[in-house]
Amino acid sequence: MDKHLIIATANDLVRIAPDRVVYISSDGNYSTLIQADGETRLLTFQLGQIERMIADQLGSVGNCFIRIGKCLIINRSYIYYINIPKQRLTLSDCRSVNFTVSASREALKQLKELMEKEGQ
């Protein structure tokens, strides 16, 4: 059985397959989940709480997610282009999904080194 990430509050529940999550960005006490179909979902959780949910619920499947910087968790399978000087990261499946996000130079530098080291 495929694992799903389940994020539940008092009023709602999101159940999503990890490969459908492109990235999750944070703004204080809220986070926004961006799906591969372009839909966005506002979550009443901080990024650290979501990070723990991913680890607890998905186990090794959750390794597809990487936290970069203070306010971004990305799905590594969507990493397409890293530009350190412009502080830009493009997440794409080279078909229909294409998002560009900002991240710190240091976070992008570490991500680039990690991708080079893993050879993925």
Side-chain angles (χ1 to χ4, degrees), residues 18-19 21-23 64-66 73-79 91:
D19 64 340
V21 178
V22 179
Y23 70 95
C64 66
F65 294 103
I66 306 172
I73 294 175
I74 62 166
N75 186 330
R76 72 170 67 208
S77 59
Y78 287 99
I79 296 169
L91 301 166

Side-chain angles (χ1 to χ4, degrees), residues 92-103:
S92 176
D93 66 356
C94 297
R95 289 190 304 273
S96 57
V97 177
N98 195 12
F99 297 98
T100 300
V101 295
S102 296

Side-chain angles (χ1 to χ4, degrees), residues 54-77:
I54 289 169
D56 293 346
Q57 294 179 25
L58 301 177
S60 62
V61 173
N63 292 342
C64 66
F65 294 103
I66 306 172
R67 180 156 182 179
I68 60 169
K70 288 189 188 90
C71 51
L72 209 54
I73 294 175
I74 62 166
N75 186 330
R76 72 170 67 208
S77 59

